[in-house]
Amino acid sequence: MFKQLAVVCVGLIGFSLQAGEVQTFENQFGKVDVPVTPECVVSLHDFSLTIQLFELGVRPCGSVARKRLWSDAIFRGVQHRFNTEGLMYVGSHKSPDEEAIAVLEPDLIVGLSYQNKFKAKLDQIAPVVILATKDKPIKEWARQLAELTGKSARFEDQQKEYDWIIGEFKRLVPEPEKITVTTLEIYEDNFQLIGRGGLDEVIADMGLSRPQGYLEAKKGINYSLERISDMDADIIIDSYEPLLDSREDTADFRNSAQWKNLFAVKNNQFLYLNRSRYGDSMGGLIGSAYLLLSHIAERDFKKQ
Amino acid sequence: MLNKVEAHSMSGFPVARLSGVLLLLLAVAIAAFLHLSLGAKSIDWVTIWQALFEYNPLDMDQVIIRESRQARLIVSVVVGASLALAGVIMQAISSNPLADPGLLGINSGAAFFVVASLLFFPMFGQDYLPVFAFLGAAFAALLVILLSGWEQGSERLVLAGVVVTALFSAMTAILLLIDQQGLEKLRHWLTGAIGASDLKKLQWVYPYLIFAIVCCFTLVRSLNAFHLGERVAASLGVNVLLLKVSGLALVVVLSGCVVTVAGPIGFVGLVVPHVARLLVRNSYAWLFLYSLLIGTLLLILSDIAARIVLRPYEINTGIITAFVGAPVFIALVLRRMK
Amino acid sequence: MKQKQLPSRSVRIKLFSRMSFYARSNDVFWLLFFGLLLLFMLLWGAAIGSYQLSILKSWQIIIAPELAPEKLVRVVWEFRLPRLLVAALCGAALAIAGVILQSITRNALASPGLIGVEAGASATMLVFVVIVPGVIPVFLLPVFAMIGGFIVASCVWLLSSLRGYSPIRLVLVGVGITSMLSAFSEMLITYGDIDLVESALMWLGGSLHQASWPQVKVMMFWLLIAGSLAWLCFRQLNLLILGNKVAFSRGVDNRKAVPFLLLLCVALTSASVATAGTLTFVGLIAPHIARRFCANRHGALIPLSAVIGACLVVLGDSLGRSVFAPLQLPAGLVLVLIGAPYFIVLISRLRKA
């Protein structure tokens, strides 16, 4: 009789372990006990985490978004690719509404490094995992996110596709370090050196190089448009935000002699992208990689 | 008695004042050249001369001067002149040496109405922006008058201005929080930015500006009389109420235009009249002329400073004028208030 | 200022066995009324939000948390209550500071922000968040903000009293320095990382988003100490408002009293700013509203303003939290919106009367 009791006990224990299976996730922000297959994930950043979750096949139940006056919240980079019905808006990424998150009763909350200060409050609703997106490459935190949600297989597929593109590029372009690329964003009276959609990471992976002016300059500073000639390169990539009419506002500069004198512009090697097209996710990396592959390796490309 | 005064001023040719004007013009010209030569890249004076008079479109330096710096210079000149005139009139009609469109909330009101119109009424098109700016400036001025009662004395007017400025700044901030995309776009403009693209905006407002500047000079006689005191002015046949209302309207138009083009820039209207009064007195015609030139000079120099102080950052001109003007304001307060 | 003359019998209030003082029954009535209003608003604030609760329910959860479901207890006790309490305490502190400043300067348009404390605290906070982030641990930021506020306020005081104390000069010099510091703050806001900047803007607008229980304790400490000290000086304030000479003839030396009161004002303001950011208008409006009920009797004016200030900030925060939910508007900005029009109407009516 004891034997049967033991079997039943073991069976019961095994069953209970499976029902609420928990794993420990650890990164530089600490250890967190998270469920193995979370059912309701809340993302605290729309442009990277939410997009990546959707790409992994996980439908988050809530996400932060950008708000336009009188219109619904916009989940940047997600709305044009995925069905966002049922995705709840939980506030801005600078101050997410804890109550709105609590209403959803999530079992996992993911955020970025600058949102670490919300962890104390949000920890009471659900386990909070902070991922380092600023200093680490997209591949790394996307892998961590896949592990968290049990979708590592899907991530491996994305990684495989990306690696193939890089391989293709290296095959077709023998000396990539001789090609210079500038990624920037031009505004009405100044410009910043930003590469959206993981472009900077792709450029580094492909072995492409940057013009001297770019290397000496700093990120995050608004430079005067007069300096644009310092950033001249074989190919220049700019992006615009469709919600903001930045295309129209900067049209005058693109008609100016200063601009038209640039090597990249003279040789039709200037790309102007919709900023929301590629998010900061594996999908963004893949898209940007295909972009560069096509514009550099698959056509008659002129170098300075 | 009056005939004697008139006779005296008619007999002597105003040599001193005229030479002052010429000196100022020279200073402005030098500053303008400096403005064209300094910036992200230093360009020598020969190139500047060539760019202005023997333009060669293939020289990149000359292109920079023609395309971006020249535009910025023109905008600075216009903004400086308008703000200075607005300051002179404002101080005259309120008999308050501390009056300034920025301190009295007129700039903030205009800025708020512009931001609101961009967000709420995008269908109106950008040509209507100056109109919204005028409405905002007028509304803010009315509020200040309501709060302070106009004659009350220096501190009440300034405090009323502080309250009104806080009100409109808060409302602008709320709008930008609700419309987060707007924040990125308007951030620079809101602290008083002069950029090459503002030349385009100048085209919408220059008719109003020219009209306003001309009207200023028609007020000279009444202002001279008003300077002697309200009763004296009334006895000389000046309609005091009309003077105050038209003066305020001119201030609204001038400030509104400046805000539309370059965002709210303060303290110029405070500092310039005081400097001008050190050089010239008793005649508003000369005061206007001197203020025009000094205002232009001040703004060109501020713009230069804004671009080179914190290389490679370019600070907004409105911030520089605040750093220069606020200490002047404090010095004025300490000197005059007992 | 004209006011309805209600029959004002004095009420004798006994404190401890020996101390008792006289208060007008009028004042006591209004104090109790607004106290109850504050309580009601706290309950209402605890009830609204993404989890809608009825007021009765929120009362039950506060009184007997063991009996309520854990989810709701968490929402009320961890999210809403600390926020509401910090709002009330900051509002009270700023209102008292406003009363002090308006009475010292004998000027109805003075607000605690004018002496430069808020601008100093904001500028310090911005420097440590945007320019050198990470140098100071987050929990020490409020302390540094306070120190910054103190330094600026002392500069204003020193500058304006170089040649003898003048309330006008104090206020105007404060305006000048505030403008300069605002320009500096704006410079940091424009050139900082937009991520850091957005959160700075939230804080500058008076945001109680990060309110927590430790902050409640700190704020309560400051309010009790500085606030009661201010209350105890009610006689000096009653006299100061009549003018320097009158006050001096009754034994109040304004060279000693004013700096001390100013110090209290600065302490209250900088504690509040360091905790919740800028909530400028409370210090301006709350005293005015309170004065409609108890004129310039500071014994009643101080506590009444405190309670009204608390109500205002709780209202502003609750509205900011719920009107555009889940987008949060900072309490300070909401307050300006609802307070300023009322204030303008009030002042213009006062002048006509």
Side-chain angles (χ1 to χ4, degrees):
Chain A
M1 200 196 74
F2 274 120
K3 260 202 199 150
Q4 281 140 339
L5 204 55
V7 167
V8 168
C9 282
V10 168
L12 278 173
I13 294 172
F15 177 79
S16 67
L17 268 179
Q18 254 199 349
E21 245 180 74
V22 171
Q23 60 174 342
T24 309
F25 176 82
E26 188 175 353
N27 70 356
Q28 75 249 49
F29 291 102
K31 274 193 199 174
V32 188
D33 289 325
V34 297
V36 173
T37 39
E39 299 198 344
C40 174
V41 182
V42 167
S43 151
L44 294 181
H45 195 252
D46 50 347
F47 205 54
S48 53
L49 296 174
T50 311
I51 302 182
Q52 184 62 51
L53 283 170
F54 269 105
E55 286 174 8
L56 289 172
V58 176
R59 304 193 83 84
C61 51
S63 162
V64 302
R66 287 281 172 138
K67 189 96 168 61
R68 255 262 102 151
L69 208 54
W70 309 145
S71 68
D72 291 327
I74 299 174
F75 300 102
R76 295 178 302 156
V78 180
Q79 281 178 232
H80 64 274
R81 290 169 64 188
F82 302 103
N83 179 5
T84 52
E85 214 179 291
L87 183 61
M88 300 307 291
Y89 170 49
V90 297
S92 80
H93 65 120
K94 273 293 130 186
S95 60
D97 188 356
E98 309 99 5
E99 289 188 26
I101 296 177
V103 165
L104 299 171
E105 299 189 20
D107 39 11
L108 176 64
I109 302 176
V110 276
L112 305 184
S113 37
Y114 62 84
Q115 291 164 328
N116 207 4
K117 54 186 184 232
F118 302 129
K119 193 169 165 164
K121 277 225 166 146
L122 295 177
D123 244 342
Q124 298 159 20
I125 310 176
V128 178
V129 174
I130 303 286
L131 296 173
T133 46
K134 275 265 156 107
D135 0 301
K136 298 282 167 136
I138 294 179
K139 303 185 219 62
E140 215 173 293
W141 63 257
R143 174 191 299 277
Q144 290 179 345
L145 194 59
E147 278 169 17
L148 271 176
T149 49
K151 300 281 182 180
S152 297
R154 177 80 193 107
F155 170 77
E156 294 299 333
D157 286 342
Q158 284 189 306
Q159 173 89 59
K160 188 171 177 187
E161 188 177 357
Y162 180 69
D163 289 336
W164 177 84
I165 306 171
I166 301 290
E168 265 299 280
F169 184 83
K170 293 211 162 125
R171 176 177 78 86
L172 291 170
V173 180
E175 285 177 313
E177 62 284 348
K178 297 236 169 99
I179 301 177
T180 52
V181 187
T182 295
T183 49
L184 42 60
E185 273 179 18
I186 298 182
Y187 311 115
E188 222 178 335
D189 269 319
N190 43 48
F191 69 91
Q192 260 197 47
L193 299 169
I194 304 181
R196 302 279 183 181
L199 259 177
D200 293 334
E201 198 173 321
V202 174
I203 291 173
D205 286 339
M206 285 182 171
L208 296 162
S209 64
R210 306 285 195 165
Q212 190 60 26
Y214 185 98
L215 293 171
E216 288 165 354
K218 281 188 261 180
K219 298 267 174 92
I221 299 185
N222 286 73
Y223 286 104
S224 156
L225 287 174
E226 293 176 11
R227 287 179 160 227
I228 206 91
S229 50
D230 292 341
M231 307 296 161
D232 198 1
D234 294 327
I235 174 170
I236 296 181
I237 307 178
D238 186 7
S239 65
Y240 64 90
E241 174 56 65
L243 290 171
L244 279 184
D245 318 320
S246 29
R247 255 194 120 115
E248 292 79 11
D249 288 340
T250 50
D252 282 336
F253 181 64
R254 282 195 300 284
N255 287 329
S256 72
Q258 232 193 326
W259 178 253
K260 291 191 174 158
N261 202 44
L262 294 172
F263 177 83
V265 177
K266 278 199 275 215
N267 290 292
N268 289 318
Q269 283 167 190
F270 166 63
L271 300 177
Y272 201 23
L273 310 173
N274 178 340
R275 211 172 286 169
S276 303
R277 183 162 81 164
Y278 298 134
D280 292 335
S281 65
M282 288 301 291
L285 279 181
I286 292 172
S288 303
Y290 272 125
L291 184 83
L292 286 176
L293 179 71
S294 208
H295 280 277
I296 297 180
E298 292 177 347
R299 61 169 257 180
D300 189 17
F301 189 76
K302 296 195 176 42
K303 293 185 256 207
Q304 266 174 344
Chain B
M1 170 85 166
L2 237 78
N3 291 334
K4 247 193 183 171
V5 172
E6 268 182 34
H8 179 76
S9 65
M10 269 164 60
S11 60
F13 191 68
V15 178
R17 290 181 176 179
L18 210 52
S19 43
V21 168
L22 287 173
L23 269 172
L24 276 176
L25 274 172
L26 188 63
V28 168
I30 297 177
F33 253 75
L34 267 178
H35 188 272
L36 288 175
S37 93
L38 293 172
K41 213 176 159 190
S42 281
I43 301 181
D44 62 287
W45 294 39
V46 177
T47 320
I48 298 177
W49 186 263
Q50 285 175 337
L52 290 175
F53 300 108
E54 303 157 0
Y55 184 48
N56 174 12
L58 295 176
D59 184 343
M60 270 305 109
D61 282 351
Q62 290 190 21
V63 168
I64 291 180
I65 292 183
R66 262 289 166 103
E67 285 184 346
S68 45
R69 290 193 188 175
Q70 198 182 50
R72 213 170 148 153
L73 179 65
I74 296 175
V75 172
S76 303
V77 165
V78 172
V79 165
S82 315
L83 284 177
L85 282 181
V88 172
I89 299 181
M90 185 104 235
Q91 289 182 7
I93 53 176
S94 65
S95 310
N96 189 325
L98 295 173
D100 164 64
L103 275 175
L104 294 186
I106 293 182
N107 283 347
S108 313
F112 170 68
F113 269 63
V114 168
V115 169
S117 75
L118 283 173
L119 298 179
F120 286 113
F121 307 117
M123 71 290 275
F124 268 116
Q126 309 226 289
D127 299 338
Y128 280 89
L129 277 184
V131 177
F132 281 105
F134 300 154
L135 283 173
F139 189 54
L142 280 172
L143 282 182
V144 170
I145 295 176
L146 211 61
L147 268 180
S148 73
W150 205 241
E151 298 295 352
Q152 287 276 5
S154 314
E155 94 250 19
R156 209 174 167 102
L157 192 65
V158 173
L159 287 181
V162 168
V163 170
V164 171
T165 312
L167 171 64
F168 283 115
S169 309
M171 297 209 282
T172 313
I174 290 191
L175 273 187
L176 291 176
L177 273 174
I178 304 181
D179 186 340
Q180 291 161 321
Q181 301 295 98
L183 175 64
E184 283 183 48
K185 199 176 174 188
L186 292 168
R187 195 153 69 124
H188 275 267
W189 173 84
L190 271 177
T191 46
I194 296 188
S197 60
D198 291 338
L199 193 63
K200 199 174 45 180
K201 296 181 202 158
L202 203 59
Q203 288 172 353
W204 307 324
V205 303
Y206 77 84
Y208 305 111
L209 272 180
I210 295 179
F211 179 68
I213 295 180
V214 165
C215 283
C216 287
F217 281 92
T218 63
L219 282 184
V220 162
R221 245 176 157 206
S222 318
L223 281 173
N224 281 334
F226 186 69
H227 191 65
L228 299 168
E230 238 182 274
R231 295 241 178 97
V232 179
S235 71
L236 283 173
V238 173
N239 186 343
V240 172
L241 186 61
L242 185 63
L243 176 66
K244 286 192 183 173
V245 167
S246 43
L248 194 60
L250 281 176
V251 169
V252 160
V253 169
L254 287 168
S255 311
C257 288
V258 169
V259 168
T260 313
V261 170
I265 297 183
F267 287 105
V268 178
L270 174 73
V271 170
V272 173
H274 284 277
V275 173
R277 265 194 223 106
L278 289 176
L279 300 173
V280 99
R281 279 176 199 268
N282 298 341
S283 168
Y284 269 88
W286 287 103
L287 196 61
F288 277 145
L289 197 54
Y290 270 71
S291 303
L292 253 173
L293 293 171
I294 297 177
T296 310
L297 188 62
L298 177 64
L299 213 60
I300 296 180
L301 291 175
S302 302
D303 204 37
I304 297 176
R307 279 186 298 160
I308 62 176
V309 158
L310 273 193
R311 273 208 182 121
Y313 285 103
E314 280 194 3
I315 315 182
N316 277 343
T317 319
I319 294 177
I320 298 280
T321 56
F323 274 124
V324 163
V328 171
F329 175 74
I330 296 176
L332 279 174
V333 166
L334 291 179
R335 194 160 61 93
R336 282 168 181 259
M337 298 290 137
K338 289 186 187 85
Chain C
M1 189 162 82
K2 281 215 167 145
Q3 208 184 343
K4 277 186 274 193
Q5 295 293 324
L6 291 169
S8 49
R9 287 187 309 280
S10 286
V11 163
R12 192 162 171 219
I13 300 180
K14 272 187 107 163
L15 270 184
F16 315 119
S17 53
R18 299 259 184 103
M19 280 172 56
S20 64
F21 58 90
Y22 289 93
R24 295 209 192 176
S25 57
N26 214 9
D27 296 338
V28 174
F29 168 71
W30 286 115
L31 208 56
L32 285 174
F33 174 77
F34 277 104
L36 279 174
L37 184 65
L38 177 63
L39 216 61
F40 178 74
M41 295 202 73
L42 284 173
L43 283 176
W44 174 71
I48 62 170
S50 297
Y51 265 109
Q52 279 295 116
L53 298 168
S54 69
I55 298 204
L56 188 61
K57 198 84 209 262
S58 62
W59 170 254
Q60 286 171 349
I61 297 180
I62 295 179
I63 292 293
E66 321 81 48
L67 299 175
E70 193 217 320
K71 229 174 17 187
L72 295 180
V73 167
R74 187 179 54 212
V75 166
V76 170
W77 277 89
E78 294 299 330
F79 297 154
R80 292 183 189 166
L81 263 190
R83 205 172 158 143
L84 290 167
L85 287 175
V86 168
L89 292 169
C90 287
L94 282 175
I96 299 180
V99 169
I100 296 178
L101 198 65
Q102 286 177 5
S103 300
I104 299 180
T105 60
R106 291 189 283 277
N107 192 310
L109 287 178
S111 83
L114 282 185
I115 43 175
V117 177
E118 284 185 0
S122 318
T124 319
M125 193 85 159
L126 275 174
V127 165
F128 285 114
V129 166
V130 175
I131 295 190
V132 283
V135 166
I136 310 269
V138 181
F139 65 90
L140 273 185
L141 277 175
V143 176
F144 274 83
M146 272 182 73
I147 297 177
F150 264 107
I151 295 178
V152 172
S154 359
C155 286
V156 172
W157 169 251
L158 283 171
L159 264 179
S160 66
S161 54
L162 276 176
R163 265 183 256 155
Y165 171 69
S166 154
I168 307 173
R169 259 212 301 262
L170 179 69
V171 160
L172 287 177
V173 171
V175 168
I177 292 202
T178 308
S179 309
M180 209 156 59
L181 284 173
S182 299
F184 180 66
S185 302
E186 275 173 13
M187 187 169 73
L188 292 180
I189 289 180
T190 324
Y191 297 97
D193 192 321
I194 181 125
D195 286 337
L196 296 167
V197 160
E198 248 192 78
S199 91
L201 280 184
M202 285 295 288
W203 185 84
L204 282 177
S207 167
L208 296 145
H209 190 242
Q210 314 264 14
S212 56
W213 286 106
Q215 283 182 327
V216 174
K217 293 190 189 117
V218 166
M219 210 45 227
M220 194 171 301
F221 166 77
W222 280 104
L223 184 65
L224 278 176
I225 298 203
S228 355
L229 280 175
W231 197 3
L232 287 174
C233 295
F234 74 90
R235 281 208 190 86
Q236 279 88 333
L237 282 164
N238 278 339
L239 291 170
L240 275 173
I241 210 170
L242 296 171
N244 280 348
K245 296 207 177 95
V246 177
F248 195 63
S249 71
R250 292 288 213 100
V252 173
D253 183 357
N254 82 316
R255 276 169 312 187
K256 289 193 202 122
V258 168
F260 176 67
L261 288 167
L262 206 55
L263 186 67
L264 288 179
C265 175
V266 169
L268 287 167
T269 313
S270 52
S272 162
V273 168
T275 310
T278 44
L279 289 164
T280 326
F281 257 54
V282 186
L284 184 60
I285 300 180
H288 276 276
I289 301 180
R291 265 195 216 104
R292 303 199 70 176
F293 298 105
C294 61
N296 273 318
R297 296 185 292 277
H298 285 81
L301 183 63
I302 290 182
L304 195 59
S305 312
V307 173
I308 293 180
C311 286
L312 281 176
V313 180
V314 167
L315 177 68
D317 181 56
S318 305
L319 284 179
R321 202 165 34 100
S322 50
V323 166
F324 282 108
L327 188 65
Q328 317 221 349
L329 294 178
L333 298 182
V334 176
L335 267 177
V336 172
L337 269 188
I338 48 180
Y342 167 75
F343 181 68
I344 292 173
V345 169
L346 178 68
I347 290 283
S348 50
R349 266 204 218 132
L350 275 183
R351 283 196 310 103
K352 284 187 189 128

